[in-house]
Amino acid sequence: MVENGIGASVLRKEDQRFLIGRGNYVDDINRPGQSYASFVRSPHAHATIKSVDISAAQGAPGVVAVFTGDELAADGIGPLICGVTITGKDGEPHKATPHPALAQGKVRCVGDPIAVVIAETLDQAKDGAELVEVDYEVLPAVVSAVAALESGAPQVHDEAPGNLCVDWEIGDKAATDAAFAGAAHITRVELVNNRLIPNAMEPRAAIGEYDAGTDSRTLYITSQNPHLHRLVLSAFNQVAPEHKLRVVAPDVGGGFGSKIFTYNEELVCIWATAKINRPIKWTAERTESFLTDAHGRDHVTTVELALDADNKFIGLRIGTVANVGAYLQVFGDAICTLFYGLLTAGPYTTPAIYCEVKCAYTNTAPVDALRGAGRPEATYLLERVVDAAATELGIDPAELRRHNFIPPDAFPYQTPVIHLYDSGDYGASLDEAIKLADIAGLEARKKASQKNGKLRGVGFSSYIEACGVAPSAAVGSLGVGVGLWESAEIRFNPTGNVQVLTGTHSHGQGHETAFAQIVTEKLGVPIENIEVVHGDTASGPFGMGTYGSRSLAVGGMAIVKAAEKIIEKGRKIAAHTLEAAEGDIEFSDGNFTVAGTDKVMNIAAVAFSAYVPHNYPEGVEPGLAESAFYDPLNFSFPAGTHICEVEVDQETGKVEIAAYTTVDDFGTIVNPPIVAGQVHGGVAHGVGQALLENAVYDEDSGQLLSGSYMDYTMPRADDLPSYKLGYTKTDPPHNPLGVKGCGEAGAIAAPPAVINAVIDALKPLGISSIDMPATPQRVWQAIQSARQAAE
């Protein structure tokens, strides 16, 4: 039996260096002769640039160079790109507008960079940036997606008339309308999915370095996908040929999707380093992160659910206006269309679904992937309307869900919105969650809260998500050009220790441990003899990176395939050494044995033989290293039920989470503590959205009003309870590891669970709806309004 393999609660190998302060982040790196960059940013949300005067900055102490968009354009450095093309109802592609790295002619959001000042020190760069004179003609701004689509709204891009990026649809409108026409009951809910700011612990940073001797460049960057960064910078931004560009993503302190994209600052740094022949370093200040990191969510939705006389769901109709910000980022409007609309079936058997989304440009930061990326928005509307229907019909919300779940014997299950679910037992997760949450004792707890002058409620959220974008051909036909296959290489050294090179990237997920456990399980190598290498385009195979909870389901399978090749070659070497037929060689727990005998050869000895001349058979190449690619046949579909229990103080409006229960189906769990940590973090993210976080722009000026931690409230330890975690398990038939993604489940399931619980608590007062975030002020105002209406 292999120790520390799949399923073992191994302590994270990478934590040792983090706990003693030996992590190596971009800002920890300093290169010889390094200079520093500071960006001149627009203070206006919308303005014409009449002129830019850099003369005073050029003569300032310590300033090495000042560049504007004119120099980038002169060198043919292309604009930032959107990597996905979404096709609208009219069959035309979305309006993907120009996104220059340094604004030319016009700025479209506060923080839009206009120029960069490079100096000997950071203070000198900042001082120089203050000397750049920009003459603006301020224009009216629009920050709301709904307002942006109204007649007469300020025009953000000339290329997108009426600010419409795309008008998109999915599903069968005629069938859905027919279902509603014959419905016994229709529930209608209007929702706002509030805008979020990622707030990774480590701000974005970049160091560009040029080697004039080889005419090559190295970019150190906070990236979730360094290989894709190199590809975009080379092929689309024309910075340098790909073989002359190295991208290094060392330790990265969180991403949540915001570090997928190629941003203005890193493009400018890697371009400008060759202009001055010196390294250039830039690290975002937290205010810059608030302004310029891609935001998430920001939907306004009307959702309707049609039910028949037996309370079966027969139709779902969704109309959404989504804010894409001032520019499309790498995924852009794919997040609020494909990644959203394809999940609107949820775990239910609803036969007719129609979803239409209007994506609008506004004078705000770009909106793109943020933990869950479309799936939280879909789950929120679905779980909110299901709860509302249960209330209107006087049905237990858990029973209404169970009544409409896809049954376990219906898989594979084709949804009306493209996805083919491969496995699941949603009722089992719901049953286990009800048991762990002690729903049977809820009424007693409600009475105890009432005695203390408080209201208690419970909220359910039964979710499904799609992880590991797949398969390549099908996804490519939808216009998505990234997120498909993954790569890995396993290298044995002659002494038997192993390097695992992966195209994914860890920024808190624990890959160095989980991937090592897979190799231990498959090859029997002690976990302490395994090193996982990632993040450097010069030392590993091309890979697609980490996002969408894909690393284990896709990257892990690439490792498995490489391990299988190692075993196949090792069998030949062992047969040669043990003087046996290759067909008689068996492999288990790190040992090659001759069937029916006591002859044995450990894989470490096989590795040594592979590098020693004449110790391997004729026709076999020396060495023991294999690479593999894995292109999944389908998404993985983790699912589950979360139950939140809250207590509301009627006098202050404060919501306290009294208990939170999760039961998730993640398939095979490689490392239980890592999975638990991912669930904890995801729930914290979802609770933050439900109760605390909200990115707010001034409607007139377009200024970000929540641009610091004084105004943007992050969840803290005392905002969260101790969780009760449980698991169910179904096996995805297309994935031999049996694994499903887990990193985003909490952020997907938590918001509706929390809001449903708050509304359940407030039901005795006649309150049936409240928008996120359910802050004390918002809850208190709802209570006061309800009391006044009752008088």
Side-chain angles (χ1 to χ4, degrees), residues 419-460:
H419 274 313
L420 178 68
Y421 297 162
D422 57 10
S423 60
D425 189 344
Y426 311 134
S429 295
L430 177 62
D431 291 342
E432 182 65 15
I434 288 173
K435 178 182 174 182
L436 283 178
D438 185 23
I439 295 300
L442 176 63
E443 284 306 314
R445 296 192 296 275
K446 281 190 173 185
K447 290 177 181 178
S449 294
Q450 288 171 358
K451 288 181 180 179
N452 295 322
K454 296 183 179 181
L455 300 171
R456 184 176 287 257
V458 67
F460 293 80

Side-chain angles (χ1 to χ4, degrees), residues 429 463 638-642 661-667 669 675 679 683 725-729 742 745-746 749:
S429 295
Y463 77 95
T641 292
H642 288 203
T661 302
T662 73
V663 175
D664 300 292
D665 176 4
F666 297 140
I669 292 176
V675 170
V679 174
V683 170
L725 270 59
Y727 304 98
T728 57
K729 182 177 183 290
C742 70

Side-chain angles (χ1 to χ4, degrees), residues 657 659-662 676 679-685 687 720-725:
I657 298 180
Y660 197 97
T661 302
T662 73
V679 174
H680 288 185
V683 170
H685 215 142
V687 168
L720 304 166
S722 294
Y723 306 110
K724 291 181 181 178
L725 270 59

Side-chain angles (χ1 to χ4, degrees), residues 33 35 64-65 67 71-72 75 77 116 118 207-219 238-241 244-245 266-281:
S35 60
V64 177
F67 298 111
E71 287 81 19
L72 281 164
D75 279 5
I77 303 301
V116 62
I118 302 164
I207 302 173
E209 185 172 17
Y210 178 64
D211 184 335
T214 60
D215 190 28
S216 60
R217 307 174 196 228
T218 300
L219 177 64
Q238 308 297 319
V239 167
K244 293 291 187 179
L245 177 60
E266 55 216 37
L267 172 56
V268 170
C269 284
I270 194 61
W271 163 76
T273 182
K275 304 294 284 187
I276 67 171
N277 197 21
R278 287 179 61 179
I280 303 170
K281 183 175 188 176

